[in-house]
């Protein structure tokens, strides 16, 4: 048996003072030496740095180590680092296990060093127990389709597409609306250069249209994404324009003949467009579209089109499938429309508008031909006030700062002043002036020099004069220290940049997460701002967080480069943490089973009639749901086998099980949320002993039963939020079904209901995780040790009977540690 | 500012508005002209118009149905304005009267063909003015200088032979019931009906003492109360508005179908759909068949023209 020859090396990291400042490193190292199969135990200041890694390699050589445990930070942080490290010394990278004693111990229990050290010892013990049973795994290689998909045709998406296309890759650019260009194309001028926006973006849009490697698929939605990195299959639905793209020359005669007008969203609903029209004159692709909600089917457009015959009322939605190797999401942002805000009167008072509406007024191609006019009387305003931070930096609405509003407010104020000069009085009410990039501070100076009146103080209320429709703005002028009221003929609200309202659907289709502010979540905010936790999918531009144009352009190019690291290689490596069926044990040959096929969301598990089930390795994403659901335990998940997890359970419950909360945390959400609790230093009681699984779907009933049999106080199974957040689509759904049924049964057998807790924590919910553990600890204390032991004693014989059929080896070789003297 | 959709409703007028920052749309229904029929509701492409029966008061005459327009659904296409035989609807854009579907030739106008040969009129005759149920006719006596002479002064006027009769008819508001034509003793008026069709009442199906249809009918001679206490139709004067159909409480008692519409020449898919809704499908397919034949002819001509160009 492999564990007889296991030689484990334990390396405890100081992580500077992050760990060493709380945990007694010496005691921990001494403890590790006492564990079975540990051939070496040592410590290091920074294990991840070169000297630390060098030490690990040295000890592997000198002590002939064949398993390595590093007790340090989160495996989500550095597992790849140390796997690379040991493989460079000739050891299979999957012989590595991480003991997270930073996020889960030193950082979460900073004020309880003794308890933190005890918890760290347990975590190390659990890691060693699993390490002993680890098996070598070989990485799977799959071929790469060297085509890319860019979702979203704004300035970030355009740049990503152009860069990839110039590198030689074929790019599909899918855009939801009728034209590419995004919000940048709606603007008049861009800060700080005051370049005309469409003048600089237009040529890029034309380049995209003309590039032989780029195919624009506009007026289309992505409905489904299957596959994995290097091999995505994307279903796109092209929505009907009722115009045949090949035949349309963009002449516009149909538009001239059309009698119906409707509000133009592109013009912020301030102007109109015809039932058959393009959203704006420089639309790319220049193909007209009929809006069937308004068309009265008079067919005047058909007559006007004549011999070109470009109009087809019979057009239906068309679904196409794209094969791509990498996907870039550049879906952009939306502007907060403050119709629900009672303070500023937007929607109530005619002369209160948002900044994007102002942009469409002052733009020459806008609905008023470039004249800034009041809605109430169509006259030019003699005074305009800009109000900053409407909805942003607001605990009642959006807590974050939207980043570019100070700059665009300055831009709009400067444009207004330069257009109407002394005819207009411009006030700007702000909290802070955030002008922090190249040329931005100088831009602010320019605004001041033009005589724009800056009032430092957030506006608290806007009221209207019924007769003149002028507005009275109340604020506290911080410089004067007094409340003021100014009268203005027009008010422009600089509203927050928010995540697009369909971003939840987009996140679900692509299988990525969103942060608490609604924008797409990157792998790491500092070091991996373009990657998402899903391999092969990248984010660029404002969909990741509000940003200005140069930043979006830079991210577009960055995403192209990241995507190219996959597309430029003929093969990509897939992690071998997959499910494997033991064909002898599978019962599908004897009875009609097929449970694994039913629960697999990727179609990787198939159970053909009368034959043993089979899992296609390249399609398996490694959630482990089939593993937990298999009634005969015929399926094993590599690197997360039943034996390995059972050994962790045993190790966790060796000392004081009645005061232990055994937690099964899923890698993508709840484990990450727990990491965040630690990173944020939210303290919670030290009773938790965590076991990481890739997906909550992996948590077998037998794990919970074994934990109770060994005397556990509480068991927690934490997953991604229902119904859509599971990284593996439905793992959390099956877990909930399974655990709810188990909980009902255990309650009937006499277990207090709070002792098995099923809960949902997302990667952004550090606060919730800490609160959850506190609640569980409080409940456990309320029940009391005696009651828990009594319940466990009653359950034990029943559980032992239920587990008798389990064939997984529960290694007895992991002996209890010698009692401390 | 975001789009504002407003409705202002009172006894005399219903106004709906769509206000954009840079464009204002307004539709006004003059309730004093509206008879509560179903014509505008029938053709509205967005189903924005609703006709509501008024609740019946005991012992009172049945009230005309009330028209309501939904400001969220209306797209101000303007189709309801030309189709209303009573000219009760007005569509304005940015304060100017504008019916875009008529401007762009997507919808025809109804032809109110009413011609008066005033030379046949006798000076003291005001029969047409008395006959018009909607008070659309005013007979005026004009002196050679063009001044108007009130009828009371006629007896005492000296040069009666110099006077001219002028018959002023608000044609646009007339549904062309032809009462004036029939009542004119000199045969001076010629009226061509706008809507032709079928009007019939199966009196055995009428509830006892019911005259709801008679109460709402705008033309008092199209339906009349017979000596047997039941209402009988006179299709000769019926303008086929359909108000009676809305209020009739008995299923199948009242039959009102339009068969044709007198309108300006038009080639429009929207009009085809409107005609289909206003008349029976059989009539629509007849009208569209003639149009289709013309289209096929044009298509052949076009192709042979192109062929000619290719061969040249």
């Amino acid at each position: 048996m492999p564990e007889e020859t296991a030689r484990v090396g334990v390396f405890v990291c100081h992580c500077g003072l992050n760990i060493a400042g709380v945990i007694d490193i010496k005691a921990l190292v001494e403890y590790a030496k006492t564990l079975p199969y540990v051939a070496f135990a040592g410590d290091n200041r920074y294990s991840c740095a070169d000297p630390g890694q060098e030490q690990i390699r040295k000890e592997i050589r000198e002590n002939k180590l064949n398993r390595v445990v590093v007790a340090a930070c989160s495996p989500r942080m550095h597992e790849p680092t140390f796997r690379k490290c040991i493989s460079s010394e000739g050891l299979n990278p999957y012989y590595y296990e991480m003991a997270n004693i930073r996020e889960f111990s030193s950082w979460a229990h900073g004020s309880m060093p003794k308890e933190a050290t005890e918890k760290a010892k347990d975590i190390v013990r659990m890691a060693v127990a699993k390490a002993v049973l680890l098996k070598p795994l070989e990485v799977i290689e799959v071929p790469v389709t060297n085509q890319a998909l860019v979702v979203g045709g704004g300035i970030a998406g355009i740049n990503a597409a152009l860069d990839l296309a110039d590198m030689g890759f074929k790019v599909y650019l899918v855009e939801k609306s009728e034209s590419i260009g995004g919000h940048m194309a709606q603007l008049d001028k861009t800060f700080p250069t005051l370049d005309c926006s469409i003048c600089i973006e237009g040529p890029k849009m034309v380049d995209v249209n003309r590039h032989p490697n780029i195919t624009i698929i506009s007026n289309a939605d992505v409905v489904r994404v299957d596959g994995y990195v290097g091999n995505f299959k994307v279903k796109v639905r092209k929505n009907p324009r009722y115009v045949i793209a090949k035949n349309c020359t963009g002449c516009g005669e149909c538009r001239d003949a059309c009698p119906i007008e409707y509000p133009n969203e592109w013009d912020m609903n301030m102007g109109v467009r015809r039932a058959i029209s393009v959203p704006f004159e420089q639309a790319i692709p220049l193909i007209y579209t009929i809006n069937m909600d308004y068309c009265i089917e008079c067919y005047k457009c058909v007559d006007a089109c004549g011999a070109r015959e470009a109009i087809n009322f019979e057009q239906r939605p068309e679904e196409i499938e794209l094969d791509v190797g990498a996907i870039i999401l550049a879906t952009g942002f939306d502007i907060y429309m403050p119709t629900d805000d009672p303070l500023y009167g937007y929607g109530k008072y005619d002369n209160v508008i948002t900044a994007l509406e102002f942009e469409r007024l002052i733009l020459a191609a806008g609905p008023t031909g470039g004249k800034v006019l009041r809605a109430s009387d169509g006259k030019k305003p003699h005074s305009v006030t800009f109000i900053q931070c409407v909805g942003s930096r607001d605990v009642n609405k959006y807590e974050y700062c939207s980043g570019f509003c100070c700059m665009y407010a300055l831009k709009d104020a400067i444009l207004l002043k330069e257009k109407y000069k002394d005819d207009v009085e411009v006030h700007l009410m702000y909290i802070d002036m955030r002008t922090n990039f190249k040329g931005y501070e100088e831009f602010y100076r320019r605004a001041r020099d033009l005589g724009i009146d800056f009032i430092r103080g957030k506006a608290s209320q806007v009221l209207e004069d019924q007769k003149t429709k002028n507005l009275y703005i109340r604020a506290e002028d911080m410089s004067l220290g007094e409340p003021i009221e100014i009268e203005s003929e027009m008010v422009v609200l600089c509203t927050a940049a928010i995540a697009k309202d369909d971003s939840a659907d987009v996140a679900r289709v692509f299988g990525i997460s969103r942060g608490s502010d609604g924008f797409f979540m990157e792998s790491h905010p500092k070091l991996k701002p373009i990657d998402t936790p899903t391999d092969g999918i990248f984010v660029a531009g404002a969909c990741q967080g509000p940003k200005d144009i140069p930043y979006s352009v830079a991210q577009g190019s960055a995403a192209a480069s990241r995507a190219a690291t996959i597309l430029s290689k003929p093969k990509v490596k897939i992690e071998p943490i997959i499910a494997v069926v033991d064909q002898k044990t599978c019962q599908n040959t004897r009875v009609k089973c097929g449970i694994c096929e039913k629960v697999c969301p990727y179609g990787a598990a198939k159970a053909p009639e009368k034959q043993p089930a089979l899992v296609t390795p390249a399609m398996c994403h490694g959630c482990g749901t089939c593993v937990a659901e298999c009634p005969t335990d015929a399926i094993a998940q590599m690197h997360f086998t039943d034996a390995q997890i059972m050994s962790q359970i045993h190790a966790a419950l060796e000392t004081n099980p009645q005061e232990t909360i055994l937690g099964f945390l899923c890698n993508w959400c709840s484990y990450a949320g727990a990491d965040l609790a630690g990173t944020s230093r939210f303290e919670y009681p030290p009773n938790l002993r965590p076991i990481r699984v890739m997906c909550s779907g992996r948590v077998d009933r037998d794990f919970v039963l074994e934990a109770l049999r060994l005397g556990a106080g509480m068991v927690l199974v934490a997953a991604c939020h229902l119904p859509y957040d599971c990284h593996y689509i439905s793992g959390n759904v099956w877990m909930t079904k399974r655990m709810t049924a188990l909980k009902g049964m255990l309650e009937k057998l006499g277990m207090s209901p709070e002792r098995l807790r099923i809960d949902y924590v997302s990667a952004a919910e550090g606060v919730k995780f800490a609160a959850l553990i506190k609640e569980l600890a409080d409940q456990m204390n309320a029940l009391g040790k005696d009651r828990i032991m009594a319940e466990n004693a009653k359950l034990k014989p029943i559980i032992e009977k239920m587990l008798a059929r389990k064939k997984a080896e529960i290694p007895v070789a992991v002996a209890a540690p010698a009692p401390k003297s | 500012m975001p789009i504002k959709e407003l409705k202002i409703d009172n006894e005399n007028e219903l106004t709906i508005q769509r206000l954009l920052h840079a464009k204002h749309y307004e539709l006004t229904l003059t309730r004093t002209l509206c008879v509560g029929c179903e014509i505008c509701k029938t053709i509205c492409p967005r189903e924005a118009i609703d006709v509501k029966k008024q609740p019946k008061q005991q012992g009172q005459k049945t009230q005309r149905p009330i028209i309501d327009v939904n400001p969220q659904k209306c797209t101000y296409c303007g189709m309801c304005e030309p189709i209303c035989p009573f000219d009760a609807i007005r569509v304005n854009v940015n304060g100017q009267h504008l019916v875009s579907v008529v401007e762009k030739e997507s919808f025809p106008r109804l032809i109110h063909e009413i011609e008066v040969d005033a030379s046949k009129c006798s000076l003291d005759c005001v029969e047409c003015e008395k006959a018009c149920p909607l008070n659309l006719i005013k007979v005026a006596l004009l002196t050679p200088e063009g001044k108007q002479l009130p009828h009371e002064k006629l007896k005492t006027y000296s040069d009666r032979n110099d006077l001219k009769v002028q018959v002023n008819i608000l044609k646009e508001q007339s549904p062309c019931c032809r009462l004036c034509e029939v009542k004119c003793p000199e045969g001076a008026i010629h009226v061509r009906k706008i809507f032709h069709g079928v009007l019939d009442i199966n009196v055995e199906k009428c509830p006892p003492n019911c005259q709801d249809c008679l109460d709402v009918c705008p033309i008092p001679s199209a339906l009349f109360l017979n000596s047997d206490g039941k209402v009988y139709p006179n299709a000769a004067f019926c303008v086929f508005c359909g108000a009676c159909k809305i209020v009739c409480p008995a299923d199948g008692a009242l039959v009102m179908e339009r068969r044709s519409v007198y309108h300006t020449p038009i080639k429009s898919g929207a009009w085809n759909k409107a005609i289909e809704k206003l008349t029976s499908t059989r009539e629509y397919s007849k009208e569209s068949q003639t149009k289709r034949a013309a289209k096929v002819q044009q298509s052949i001509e076009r192709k042979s023209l192109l062929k000619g160009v290719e061969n040249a």
Side-chain angles (χ1 to χ4, degrees):
Chain A
M1 293 215 293
E3 49 262 44
E4 287 172 3
T5 57
R7 292 175 62 75
V8 183
V10 178
F11 300 86
V12 179
C13 186
H14 290 229
C15 194
L17 284 177
N18 282 311
I19 299 176
V22 174
I23 291 181
D24 185 345
I25 303 286
K26 265 209 162 36
L28 191 51
V29 170
E30 288 311 310
Y31 175 72
K33 287 191 181 141
T34 67
L35 295 170
Y37 297 103
V38 170
F40 170 84
D43 64 300
N44 194 289
R45 285 215 82 199
Y46 297 103
S47 308
C48 53
D50 261 348
Q53 298 205 31
E54 201 30 62
Q55 186 210 24
I56 294 175
R57 281 195 283 268
K58 175 164 152 287
E59 299 302 340
I60 293 176
R61 278 197 304 272
E62 292 187 2
N63 286 291
K64 297 198 180 33
L65 303 173
N66 55 20
R67 308 279 194 280
V68 171
V69 169
V70 173
C73 51
S74 171
R76 297 176 83 252
M77 176 112 267
H78 274 314
E79 189 170 62
T81 316
F82 292 113
R83 279 194 183 153
K84 260 208 233 37
C85 169
I86 71 172
S87 80
S88 73
E89 204 46 46
L91 209 51
N92 186 294
Y94 291 89
Y95 275 139
Y96 171 76
E97 181 68 14
M98 193 120 192
N100 185 345
I101 60 170
R102 188 182 71 172
E103 278 85 337
F104 272 90
S105 189
S106 67
W107 273 355
H109 313 302
S111 62
M112 297 184 277
K114 258 191 45 211
E115 288 84 346
T117 307
E118 287 310 305
K119 183 170 175 183
K121 286 183 186 167
D122 287 355
I123 293 179
V124 168
R125 184 175 63 229
M126 289 162 73
V128 170
K130 180 169 174 186
V132 166
L133 296 175
L134 289 173
K135 301 262 193 296
L137 297 172
E138 290 310 318
V139 153
I140 308 168
E141 279 195 344
V142 288
V144 170
T145 312
N146 62 352
Q147 295 181 152
L149 169 68
V150 177
V151 183
I155 192 66
I158 287 174
N159 270 286
L162 284 172
D163 278 1
L164 279 170
D166 285 341
M167 282 186 232
F169 300 111
K170 176 134 184 59
V171 182
Y172 296 103
L173 179 58
V174 173
E175 166 59 50
K176 181 161 100 150
S177 62
E178 298 159 47
S179 166
I180 61 174
H183 281 299
M184 182 177 169
Q186 283 180 297
L187 306 177
D188 181 23
K189 308 255 190 327
T190 56
F191 57 75
T193 47
L194 294 185
D195 278 308
C196 154
S197 183
I198 193 66
C199 306
I200 53 177
E201 196 185 15
K204 285 220 144 155
M205 288 161 60
V206 173
D207 281 346
V208 167
N209 202 18
R210 264 206 244 120
H211 205 298
N213 281 343
I214 304 179
T215 305
I216 301 178
I217 305 171
S218 56
N219 209 36
D221 296 303
V222 175
V223 289
R224 201 183 150 99
V225 176
D226 285 309
Y228 47 92
V229 60
N231 300 275
F232 290 109
K233 296 229 174 324
V234 182
K235 269 212 188 72
V236 175
R237 182 189 61 229
K238 288 163 72 166
N239 298 317
R241 288 177 187 264
Y242 307 99
V243 170
I244 302 169
K246 284 203 288 50
N247 297 354
C248 178
T249 60
C251 65
E253 285 176 25
C254 54
R255 180 217 32 229
D256 294 335
C258 177
I260 303 298
E261 290 177 342
Y262 68 97
N264 190 353
E265 245 181 52
W266 186 259
D267 271 335
M268 301 305 288
N269 290 333
M270 295 197 297
V272 293
R273 56 185 288 195
R274 300 283 170 89
I276 182 167
S277 53
V278 278
F280 60 105
E281 292 301 314
Q282 296 99 330
I284 299 264
L286 191 60
I287 304 167
Y288 278 65
T289 307
I290 300 181
N291 185 338
M292 283 311 229
D293 287 341
Y294 291 95
C295 172
I296 58 172
E297 292 187 61
C298 65
Y299 304 139
K300 290 286 144 193
C301 50
V302 178
D303 289 340
C305 189
R308 282 165 290 227
E309 293 184 358
I311 298 178
N312 175 8
F313 279 89
E314 306 299 315
Q315 228 178 52
R316 289 278 165 273
E318 189 193 331
E319 242 185 46
I320 55 176
E321 200 173 86
L322 305 173
D323 285 323
V324 295
I327 299 175
I328 296 176
L329 294 176
T331 48
F333 68 102
D334 263 343
I335 279 285
Y336 165 50
M337 301 297 275
T339 36
D340 54 348
D341 190 325
L343 298 175
Y344 296 118
Y346 181 73
K348 256 192 343 200
Y349 310 144
D350 289 346
N351 293 323
V352 176
I353 62 176
T354 59
L356 198 47
E357 288 172 16
F358 178 85
E359 201 81 44
R360 297 306 296 172
L361 285 177
I362 202 161
L363 176 118
T368 56
K371 298 203 220 8
V372 178
L373 302 173
R374 296 178 355 135
S376 61
D377 53 14
K379 296 211 183 74
K380 279 202 311 255
H382 296 105
S383 50
V384 178
T385 302
F386 290 83
I387 299 181
Q388 299 296 101
C389 301
V390 176
S392 310
R393 305 184 68 189
D394 187 344
V395 292
N396 300 314
K397 211 88 203 116
Y398 303 105
E399 278 200 46
Y400 52 85
C401 166
S402 295
F404 47 55
C405 343
C406 282
M407 281 307 291
Y408 76 56
L410 290 174
K411 171 192 63 166
D412 288 340
I414 291 175
L415 289 177
L416 191 58
K417 205 65 174 142
E418 287 186 345
K419 194 172 179 122
Y420 296 124
K421 301 192 178 40
D422 291 329
D423 276 348
V424 70
E425 213 177 83
V426 182
H427 308 276
L428 201 146
M429 291 184 166
Y430 66 101
I431 309 175
D432 293 294
M433 260 297 135
R434 296 192 158 168
T435 55
N436 57 353
F437 205 54
K438 251 187 167 178
Y440 288 10
E441 183 64 21
E442 296 85 328
F443 197 65
Y444 169 56
R445 277 253 72 86
R446 178 173 169 178
R448 283 213 97 109
D449 290 343
L450 274 176
I452 293 164
D453 176 31
F454 284 83
I455 301 168
R456 188 184 181 127
K458 185 164 176 190
S460 64
Q461 199 179 17
V462 174
L463 302 163
E464 189 192 41
D465 178 322
Q466 287 288 340
K467 265 211 330 265
T468 58
K469 302 287 180 189
N470 287 358
L471 302 135
Y472 297 99
I473 306 117
R474 292 187 178 157
E476 183 192 341
D477 189 332
M478 311 269 267
S479 316
L480 294 176
E482 280 175 14
I484 58 163
E485 187 177 289
I486 59 175
E487 185 180 349
S488 186
E489 293 189 6
M490 181 187 262
V491 165
V492 180
L493 302 176
C494 299
T495 57
I498 57 177
K500 275 202 132 94
D501 55 7
D502 65 352
S503 54
D505 290 327
V506 174
R508 179 175 49 87
V509 167
F510 288 92
I512 61 172
S513 323
R514 299 192 301 152
S516 51
D517 52 13
F519 294 98
F520 295 141
M521 206 160 77
E522 60 286 283
S523 283
H524 191 271
K526 283 255 184 251
L527 296 181
K528 285 185 154 183
I530 304 289
D531 293 36
T532 63
T534 310
D535 275 342
I537 302 186
F538 306 98
V539 287
C543 61
Q544 183 251 357
K547 49 180 66 72
D548 55 18
I549 293 168
Y551 196 170
S552 298
V553 169
Q555 281 206 339
S557 293
S561 148
R562 292 295 299 141
T565 57
I566 298 170
L567 302 175
S568 58
K569 293 201 279 267
K571 285 199 207 292
V572 75
K573 299 193 167 110
I574 307 264
E575 276 230 34
I577 301 180
I578 53 164
V580 176
V581 180
D582 179 357
Q583 309 219 312
K584 291 201 283 309
T585 328
C586 173
Q587 69 172 7
N588 200 46
T589 45
R590 300 185 296 278
V591 299
K592 189 155 177 232
C593 183
I595 289 180
C596 53
E597 183 171 337
K598 187 169 83 152
V599 304
C600 177
Y602 301 100
K606 287 277 184 275
E609 214 178 308
K610 298 266 195 326
Q611 288 175 48
L614 190 61
V615 173
T616 310
M619 290 177 76
C620 173
H621 283 59
C623 67
T625 305
C626 60
V627 181
E629 290 281 335
C630 177
T632 55
D633 291 329
I635 314 184
Q637 183 179 12
M638 297 296 105
H639 209 66
F640 289 91
T641 61
D642 279 353
Q644 288 161 0
I645 295 180
M646 284 294 196
S647 70
Q648 286 179 298
I649 296 174
H650 275 247
L653 297 171
E654 251 179 51
T655 45
N656 236 347
Q658 296 81 7
E659 288 177 353
T660 299
I661 305 170
L662 186 65
F664 294 92
L665 308 175
C666 73
N667 181 59
W668 302 97
C669 280
S670 45
Y671 193 93
D675 270 352
L676 183 60
T679 310
S680 318
R681 314 292 197 278
F682 296 140
E683 294 215 15
Y684 52 86
N687 306 69
L688 175 73
R689 296 294 176 269
I691 294 182
R692 180 174 80 118
V693 287
M694 291 313 285
C695 177
S696 62
R698 175 72 187 89
V699 182
D700 203 309
R701 291 166 35 118
D702 293 343
F703 296 163
V704 177
L705 292 173
E706 180 69 359
L708 289 169
R709 185 186 80 89
L710 293 173
M714 313 277 273
V715 178
L716 162 70
V717 182
C720 304
H721 281 280
L722 291 168
Y724 292 135
D725 280 17
C726 179
H727 184 81
Y728 302 95
I729 304 169
S730 52
N732 57 355
V733 174
W734 294 110
M735 179 284 289
T736 305
K737 269 206 192 100
R738 189 188 316 147
M739 287 299 142
T740 310
L742 179 65
K743 186 167 160 167
M745 183 194 79
L746 289 169
E747 279 174 34
K748 280 212 183 74
L749 292 175
M751 180 190 82
S752 304
E754 52 271 40
R755 289 183 60 205
L756 172 55
R757 175 71 168 255
I758 307 157
D759 213 323
Y760 309 91
V761 178
S762 85
E765 291 178 317
V767 178
K768 179 171 176 186
F769 185 80
L772 172 62
I773 305 299
K774 180 150 193 328
E775 187 185 334
L776 288 173
D778 286 343
Q779 285 174 343
M780 193 167 64
N781 291 335
L783 284 172
K785 205 164 161 168
D786 294 327
R787 169 123 176 238
I788 291 173
M789 285 174 79
E791 283 181 12
N792 286 345
K794 199 163 145 223
L795 289 169
K796 192 159 174 177
I798 307 171
I799 294 178
E800 281 182 339
K801 250 210 281 214
M802 291 200 284
L803 287 176
R805 61 137 183 79
K806 189 152 185 93
K807 298 198 189 70
E809 290 156 6
I810 296 165
V812 289
V814 184
K820 284 209 282 281
S821 43
Chain B
M1 55 165 250
I3 304 174
K4 271 195 181 151
E5 279 146 358
L6 305 172
K7 178 154 61 167
I8 306 157
D9 197 356
N10 59 40
E11 271 182 6
N12 296 325
E13 240 176 37
L14 167 68
T15 303
I16 60 163
Q17 289 176 330
R18 171 170 285 167
L19 305 173
L20 278 63
H21 193 112
K23 206 150 188 184
H24 298 172
Y25 296 87
E26 193 177 69
L27 184 148
T28 308
L29 171 76
T30 308
R31 290 213 186 278
T32 46
L33 295 174
C34 173
V35 307
C37 74
E38 54 163 22
I39 291 180
C40 55
K41 172 191 158 148
T42 308
I43 55 108
C44 176
R46 298 272 85 86
E47 292 173 12
I49 303 180
D50 200 20
V51 183
K52 286 203 261 285
K53 265 169 81 160
Q54 294 276 67
K56 187 144 178 219
Q57 316 278 31
Q58 273 285 24
Q60 297 255 4
K61 224 175 101 151
T62 310
Q63 303 272 327
R64 281 180 174 175
I66 298 277
I67 302 266
D68 192 23
V69 189
N70 185 338
Q72 273 82 38
K73 288 191 181 166
C74 177
T75 59
Y76 300 87
C77 66
M79 275 165 66
C80 48
E81 181 176 324
I83 203 65
C84 177
F86 305 93
D87 201 26
I89 298 181
R90 200 49 99 239
V91 177
N92 286 336
V93 179
N94 280 348
Q96 309 276 36
H97 180 214
L98 178 67
V99 185
S100 53
V101 284
V102 172
E103 293 289 310
K104 299 279 177 187
E105 296 172 13
S106 300
F107 210 74
R109 285 205 172 281
L110 298 178
I111 300 179
H112 304 255
E113 190 173 298
I114 304 173
E115 270 134 47
V116 184
D117 185 0
S119 61
K120 294 186 178 166
C121 299
S122 35
L123 290 176
D124 53 0
C125 176
V126 286
E127 288 304 309
C128 53
E129 191 174 317
K130 285 194 303 198
C132 179
L134 301 175
N135 299 317
L136 299 174
I137 306 182
K138 284 276 173 297
V139 181
L141 293 166
L142 294 180
T143 63
E145 293 86 47
K147 269 172 57 186
Q148 211 178 341
L149 181 74
H151 273 90
E152 309 85 70
K153 299 240 174 85
L154 184 57
K155 288 215 180 71
T156 53
Y157 196 74
S158 44
D159 291 311
R160 287 167 68 113
N161 294 329
D162 292 338
L163 288 172
K164 274 210 183 65
V165 180
Q166 190 188 66
V167 181
N168 298 314
I169 308 183
L170 292 170
K171 291 190 191 168
E172 291 307 310
Q173 291 178 16
S174 167
C176 301
C177 69
R178 296 183 63 236
L179 268 172
C180 55
E181 180 177 356
V182 164
K183 290 284 163 65
C184 174
E186 310 299 334
I189 307 182
H190 158 74
V191 178
R192 185 168 157 170
K193 283 187 112 166
I194 300 174
F195 288 104
H196 286 266
V198 161
L199 177 68
D200 215 351
I201 298 183
N202 299 321
V203 291
E204 66 281 3
K205 293 198 179 153
C206 294
N209 300 325
C210 176
Q211 47 177 65
D212 288 357
C213 52
L214 180 62
D215 287 343
V216 301
C217 180
I219 312 295
S221 310
L223 293 167
F224 61 92
L225 194 58
N226 205 15
S227 46
D228 62 2
K230 299 238 187 244
V231 179
Y232 282 81
N234 186 351
F237 298 117
C238 176
V239 294
F240 299 95
C241 67
C244 50
K245 229 171 66 177
I246 299 172
V247 296
C248 175
D251 213 10
L254 186 84
V255 174
M256 195 272 332
E257 275 170 22
R258 299 176 200 91
R259 290 290 152 87
S260 68
V261 184
Y262 189 39
H263 60 84
T264 53
I266 195 77
K267 192 177 81 141
S268 156
W271 175 241
N272 292 345
K273 289 182 188 56
I275 262 256
E276 186 180 8
K277 290 179 195 167
L278 286 172
T279 65
S280 74
T281 321
R282 199 170 55 112
E283 301 312 311
Y284 161 63
S285 53
K286 266 208 218 145
E287 181 169 327
S288 71
Q289 249 177 10
T290 37
K291 288 185 179 168
R292 215 178 295 145
K295 258 202 145 130
V296 170
Q297 179 67 14
Q298 283 172 22
S299 169
I300 293 173
E301 280 172 15
R302 202 167 43 232
K303 286 204 167 71
S304 56
L305 224 81
L306 284 173
K307 264 222 177 78
V309 169
E310 279 167 26
N311 291 339

